[in-house]
Amino acid sequence: MDDELNKLGSDLSRKLGSKLTGFAVNHGELTIEVARNQIKDVMTFLRDDEAYRFGCLVDICGVDYPEREERFDIVYHLLSPWKNLRLRVRVTTDAVTAVPSIVEVFPAANWFEREAFDLYGVEFEGHPDLRRILTDYGFEGHPLRKDFPLTGFVELRYDDEQKKVVYEPVQLMQDYRDFDYLSPWEGMGTAIPGDEKASVVEEGEGKS
């Protein structure tokens, strides 16, 4: 599988030339790196070329690496149902440089780009209606940035007792927990709810 994906990456790199800055195969998936200002042309090529036909945009998401100069990855996942292929496309940007919108290429990108704008603050140049989509009206900041504070903000909710929308300080519903992922189920000190039913069945087995 990796050999086939490397071949696909090499083919795309040859056809797209300088529009691609590199590609890699990891965990059985191909990722191509695209120059930010070329993303619209590359996505059009991937959609229309008969050799690939990546006609389905699965999603667009963001990743934040605050230590980098271009701290944000914008990641596109494409599917070709005709060729049974999947492809990850990635561009990078900083906190002020817009990424070209691909809504004209894939109309489904509309809400995905709005979500990335809302949660990471990445702007998409040429988007027809770039505004928040998940946070409240008047919300400040971008909550999926890694430097976004966990306290000092307010949230909006409908209060059933007051019969109106209220703003109140954000509250974390539980303390942070550190999971070591090493303890087996047998290590639990208490019974799992429902185990008592199994005990009753075991005691009654063999009795007439």
Side-chain angles (χ1 to χ4, degrees):
M1 175 62 76
D2 284 1
D3 290 341
E4 295 178 7
L5 293 176
N6 275 299
K7 182 179 182 301
L8 174 59
S10 297
D11 291 344
L12 290 172
S13 184
R14 185 180 68 257
K15 291 183 178 180
L16 291 168
S18 61
K19 294 180 180 180
L20 263 58
T21 59
F23 73 90
V25 176
N26 292 302
H27 305 293
E29 297 181 346
L30 172 63
T31 302
I32 62 173
E33 309 284 348
V34 177
R36 180 176 55 246
N37 62 344
Q38 299 294 333
I39 184 62
K40 189 173 179 180
D41 288 346
V42 170
M43 296 299 259
T44 301
F45 169 84
L46 293 171
R47 182 195 64 185
D48 296 342
D49 191 282
E50 285 297 322
Y52 310 111
R53 298 184 68 189
F54 285 101
C56 179
L57 175 68
V58 178
D59 70 3
I60 303 172
C61 58
V63 189
D64 184 15
Y65 299 95
E67 68 280 2
R68 295 187 336 201
E69 182 177 353
E70 293 197 344
R71 63 184 288 182
F72 299 112
D73 282 354
I74 301 300
V75 184
Y76 308 79
H77 292 99
L78 298 177
L79 170 67
S80 173
W82 299 273
K83 304 294 183 178
N84 192 25
L85 294 172
R86 291 181 182 272
L87 179 66
R88 179 183 294 116
V89 181
R90 181 163 56 204
V91 302
T92 63
T93 191
D94 55 33
V96 297
T97 306
V99 175
S101 172
I102 64 165
V103 171
E104 292 182 2
V105 184
F106 290 103
N110 190 317
W111 282 16
F112 291 139
E113 290 180 352
R114 285 179 59 189
E115 181 179 355
F117 164 71
D118 189 359
L119 301 182
Y120 291 94
V122 175
E123 296 195 8
F124 292 86
E125 184 179 3
H127 190 285
D129 185 26
L130 193 62
R131 55 193 169 96
R132 292 183 182 270
I133 191 171
L134 293 176
T135 55
D136 305 329
Y137 297 109
F139 189 90
E140 297 181 3
H142 305 283
L144 287 190
R145 289 189 177 188
K146 289 184 179 176
D147 53 6
F148 184 80
L150 296 179
T151 60
F153 284 80
V154 296
E155 60 184 353
L156 175 150
R157 69 176 181 85
Y158 180 78
D159 189 291
D160 195 51
E161 293 183 358
Q162 301 184 52
K163 304 299 182 185
K164 66 178 184 179
V165 173
V166 297
Y167 284 89
E168 58 190 11
V170 173
Q171 295 182 352
L172 300 181
M173 300 308 294
Q174 65 179 32
D175 294 332
Y176 175 80
R177 294 189 294 172
D178 187 14
F179 296 93
D180 59 18
Y181 299 104
L182 298 177
S183 303
W185 287 106
E186 292 83 351
M188 294 185 63
T190 58
I192 298 176
D195 277 1
E196 68 280 358
K197 299 177 183 178
S199 300
V200 172
V201 171
E202 291 174 358
E203 293 175 359
E205 286 180 352
K207 296 182 179 180
S208 58

